[in-house]
Amino acid sequence: MRLTRKRFCSALLAAYLLFSLYAAYCVFLKPRRPVAPRAGQRERQGRGEHAVLGTEEWNPWEVDEKNDLLQKSANSLQLSKEMKLQKDQADFRVQIWGKAAIGLYLWQHIFEGPLEPVDASAQWREGSVKAGKWFFSFITGPAVVPGYFSVETDNVVLVLNGREEGKISYATQWLQYAHTLVQTHKLQHVAVVLLGSEQCRNEWISPYLKNNGGFVDLLFVIYDSPGVNEEDIFQWPLGVAT
């Protein structure tokens, strides 16, 4: 079922409202947890004797390492199966491309979505959640580059960093890539969550907005911006995001 612009905007506005309430709760109401004392590191007791066969040494932890690899493979396979099942049961699908640190906060703390692998240094991380008839998937990491991953839906939320000139240059590459997908009818709706300039200088993204002749349906800006109109440009509260 194709997602209408009205439903797409409604879903994002609902997430926006949820974020606002969560941020207010964390700042004003949530009690602070006392800092737990650091636990002492456990010492390994007893070293196994080395059995030498030819020039190779016996590794007493080799079995554990293999088991860890097998467990990670099993977890990845299970996640893929769950994502496919959720996707098949959903009527509306949205894919989130996280190309700014705020994307992790959005996914893990607002959507409360899982992320595999858990290793923060992994080149590729992904997850998915299903809410009613909506299926949201998330991808992030250095390996997520334009043209080198599967676009699994025609509705995308692009999380970008426009805080400084160098970041803006990288963000425009993603916007141009998304524009190409819209022109080739591979994408239907695009929303952007932008970590904006602290000086509120975000005019560079205006030409990409649909109301200005571009293709971006909705823009959520972290930090204030003179262009905020509560129609297609919204201020996304920073809250505890950083």
Side-chain angles (χ1 to χ4, degrees), residues 165-198:
E165 289 299 324
K167 303 295 185 180
I168 291 174
S169 177
Y170 182 67
T172 55
Q173 295 178 24
W174 276 96
L175 288 168
Q176 290 167 2
Y177 173 63
H179 190 200
T180 300
L181 295 178
V182 171
Q183 290 177 321
T184 55
H185 306 290
K186 294 180 179 179
L187 287 182
Q188 183 181 7
H189 299 296
V190 177
V192 172
V193 176
L194 178 68
L195 179 60
S197 163
E198 294 184 29

Side-chain angles (χ1 to χ4, degrees), residues 61-77 116-117:
W61 295 283
E62 183 177 3
V63 175
D64 291 338
E65 291 173 355
K66 288 182 178 179
N67 288 338
D68 287 343
L69 289 174
L70 290 174
Q71 185 60 46
K72 289 180 180 179
S73 298
N75 291 342
S76 298
L77 181 60
E116 289 289 343

Side-chain angles (χ1 to χ4, degrees), residues 147-219:
Y148 288 89
F149 63 92
S150 174
V151 180
E152 300 178 350
T153 177
D154 54 3
N155 308 292
V156 161
V157 177
L158 186 53
V159 186
L160 298 173
N161 188 341
R163 195 170 183 176
E164 56 192 36
E165 289 299 324
K167 303 295 185 180
I168 291 174
S169 177
Y170 182 67
T172 55
Q173 295 178 24
W174 276 96
L175 288 168
Q176 290 167 2
Y177 173 63
H179 190 200
T180 300
L181 295 178
V182 171
Q183 290 177 321
T184 55
H185 306 290
K186 294 180 179 179
L187 287 182
Q188 183 181 7
H189 299 296
V190 177
V192 172
V193 176
L194 178 68
L195 179 60
S197 163
E198 294 184 29
Q199 290 75 37
C200 306
R201 298 172 182 170
N202 303 304
E203 298 83 2
W204 62 272
I205 200 171
S206 295
Y208 295 97
L209 301 179
K210 184 166 287 187
N211 285 346
N212 295 332
F215 64 95
V216 175
D217 294 280
L218 295 173
L219 172 64

